[in-house]
Amino acid sequence: MPAAALKPKPTQSTAKRPVLLDLPYEPVEKRPLPAGRPREWYVTHNRRLKAMRLAIALLDSGVYLPAQARNERIRTTAELIGVHPPSETTCHMVRAFLRYSR
């Protein structure tokens, strides 16, 4: 089999721009959300994004278990990465992400 046949094809998300994993964190380019959804959908969507950012930051800092991620720790991490302090619901969601990442 030729070597060219073994080379994986780029996916749609990586074909347009290279993926550089060893560079420092840079926020992803923001795109407008789809119009016409109920307000609650946007609130939940943004809350999930915030919880994911916080969960990733906690994992990077060595917090791997939900029991280690108390509200104070999550809020301190939010301050460090420049995110508004999360609500009780968002903190709960962060712990859920940590629980199901295993």
Side-chain angles (χ1 to χ4, degrees):
M1 183 175 278
L6 297 176
K7 184 178 177 187
K9 293 182 180 181
T11 63
Q12 185 179 11
S13 62
T14 60
K16 297 176 186 171
R17 58 193 178 278
V19 176
L20 304 172
L21 297 177
D22 39 352
L23 291 179
Y25 169 76
E26 247 181 70
V28 180
E29 182 181 334
K30 292 188 177 183
R31 296 179 301 198
L33 293 174
R37 307 244 175 153
R39 176 174 169 72
E40 190 58 37
W41 183 89
Y42 298 104
V43 171
T44 305
H45 175 77
N46 289 328
R47 180 169 288 163
R48 280 190 195 123
L49 290 178
K50 184 177 192 176
M52 279 191 271
R53 279 190 216 106
L54 287 167
I56 291 168
L58 286 167
L59 288 169
D60 288 344
S61 69
V63 175
Y64 301 111
L65 300 173
Q68 295 173 318
R70 302 211 187 287
N71 288 355
E72 302 83 36
R73 183 119 189 219
I74 294 171
R75 289 188 175 117
T76 304
T77 304
E79 188 177 324
L80 286 173
I81 65 171
V83 176
H84 286 287
S87 65
E88 292 284 327
T89 306
T90 306
C91 290
H92 181 77
M93 199 176 283
V94 169
R95 284 188 288 277
F97 279 131
L98 291 175
R99 187 174 302 117
Y100 294 114
S101 69
R102 308 185 125 252

